[in-house]
Amino acid sequence: MIPNKAAVIDMGTNTFHLVMVEIFENKFETLYKEKIPVKIGQGGISNNTIHPDAKKRAFHTLQHFKNLINGESITKVFAFATSAVRNANNGADFVKEIKEKFDITVQVIDGAEEAQMIYEGIRLSGSLNGETSLMMDIGGGSVEFIIGNSQEVLWKQSFEIGGQRMLDLFHYHDPILPEEIKNLTAYLEEKLQSLARAIDTYKPTGLVGASGTFDTLTDIYYASLHQHKARTQQTFQLPKAAFEQIARQLLTLHKEDRLKIPGMIPMRVDMIVVASCLIEYILQLVPVDTLICSNYALKEGAIARLMGRHTMANAESR
């Protein structure tokens, strides 16, 4: 059977991801993947705008991605933009310019669709079982929460409280001050009331974190054990006690010392502080002993859909 090649671009608020894949009947193989800290929300997200410098970084990265895609002779390109673009007053112009410059059609997805695609990515990773889990993806602009299991989504919602927004609102000192943590926690309590009600209704017993911050947290955890994460593995376990130990470090160290933590990467060093505060808050609502961390998120959700389409197309052509 001839495989289908495709490229998926996830234009997140903090990071742009490219993954190029070959799609078969019921699996996919990654040809190449790359992530670049474009930080499209920097300097403008709090004013609902894409700053000219951020736009410059975005175009530079998209040109690089386009060259790689052309090098693989891929014609099927699926690009998605999330919180920073959907909320920006100049978001529509930005998307139009991308089409004109690079011939890439960007789908600006709403929060509910983003949550659904993240769920499909997490499900593809094998992180879910029969139990009801709370899933979370901490982006730069928004945070998606999903309650469900390997069969279905029971509840989902996107909240515009992502890492860049929390940084802009609360993280003024380095290391972050106890008072700033207190203010951030009060803010989360106010913003996440509907999540607290949903947790009360559906009573999830597992917690799954998708990609991004959770990738870095597990990198730090594995480095502390002097172990390497297996490249072929999509799901990792992070004991709650180990997370709390890492979080204590992140909240008390200066930036240059956080950068020295084995497993830390520069693109996460700022946002991981407020993200850890958010995870600590969620652990009060869903008390688990172990956090499940999924390597897969939105872009793999897009691949899961392409795999479904590929299977349908093959069925029709038989």
Side-chain angles (χ1 to χ4, degrees), residues 22 43 63 68 95 101 138 174 188 210 227 309:
E22 277 188 330
Q63 183 62 66
L68 292 166
V95 165
K101 275 180 182 291
I138 306 170
D174 192 40
L188 294 173
Q227 291 178 14
R309 264 185 243 167

Side-chain angles (χ1 to χ4, degrees), residues 23-42:
I23 297 169
F24 298 87
E25 187 86 22
N26 55 1
K27 63 168 187 165
F28 74 94
E29 282 177 12
T30 303
L31 301 168
Y32 179 82
K33 63 178 180 179
E34 186 173 356
K35 59 185 176 190
I36 295 180
V38 172
K39 298 191 176 179
I40 199 175
Q42 203 172 58

Side-chain angles (χ1 to χ4, degrees), residues 112-132:
E113 181 70 353
E114 187 175 355
Q116 183 64 33
M117 288 175 76
I118 289 162
Y119 165 74
E120 288 169 30
I122 290 172
R123 183 168 64 178
L124 188 64
S125 76
S127 297
L128 301 173
N129 51 32
E131 74 173 339
T132 299

Side-chain angles (χ1 to χ4, degrees), residues 120-188:
E120 288 169 30
I122 290 172
R123 183 168 64 178
L124 188 64
S125 76
S127 297
L128 301 173
N129 51 32
E131 74 173 339
T132 299
S133 293
L134 172 67
M135 293 156 255
M136 63 188 290
D137 185 315
I138 306 170
S142 61
V143 179
E144 282 64 48
F145 290 100
I146 306 108
I147 298 175
N149 52 42
S150 52
Q151 273 75 49
E152 61 179 334
V153 170
L154 301 168
W155 178 91
K156 65 184 180 202
Q157 196 174 334
S158 176
F159 297 84
E160 298 294 338
I161 57 163
Q164 187 65 51
R165 295 181 198 277
M166 289 191 282
L167 265 179
D168 288 358
L169 287 169
F170 299 103
H171 192 177
Y172 294 117
H173 299 84
D174 192 40
I176 192 168
L177 298 179
E179 190 187 335
E180 290 169 338
I181 296 171
K182 193 177 155 193
N183 292 341
L184 172 53
T185 307
Y187 170 81
L188 294 173

Side-chain angles (χ1 to χ4, degrees), residues 27-148:
K27 63 168 187 165
F28 74 94
E29 282 177 12
T30 303
L31 301 168
Y32 179 82
K33 63 178 180 179
E34 186 173 356
K35 59 185 176 190
I36 295 180
V38 172
K39 298 191 176 179
I40 199 175
Q42 203 172 58
I45 198 164
S46 300
N47 314 315
N48 291 336
T49 187
I50 297 165
H51 192 277
D53 289 347
K55 194 164 91 164
K56 208 179 287 180
R57 291 193 298 274
F59 288 167
H60 181 75
T61 299
L62 289 170
Q63 183 62 66
H64 170 60
F65 284 177
K66 182 74 173 169
N67 293 343
L68 292 166
I69 290 164
N70 290 347
E72 277 291 337
S73 305
I74 292 174
T75 54
K76 292 180 181 173
V77 181
F78 301 89
F80 302 93
T82 52
S83 177
V85 178
R86 70 173 167 251
N87 290 299
N89 298 324
N90 57 345
D93 291 339
F94 176 66
V95 165
K96 192 177 160 202
E97 237 179 299
I98 290 169
K99 178 67 180 168
E100 286 165 2
K101 275 180 182 291
F102 309 106
D103 196 28
I104 294 172
T105 303
V106 178
Q107 293 179 52
V108 182
I109 55 174
D110 64 23
E113 181 70 353
E114 187 175 355
Q116 183 64 33
M117 288 175 76
I118 289 162
Y119 165 74
E120 288 169 30
I122 290 172
R123 183 168 64 178
L124 188 64
S125 76
S127 297
L128 301 173
N129 51 32
E131 74 173 339
T132 299
S133 293
L134 172 67
M135 293 156 255
M136 63 188 290
D137 185 315
I138 306 170
S142 61
V143 179
E144 282 64 48
F145 290 100
I146 306 108
I147 298 175

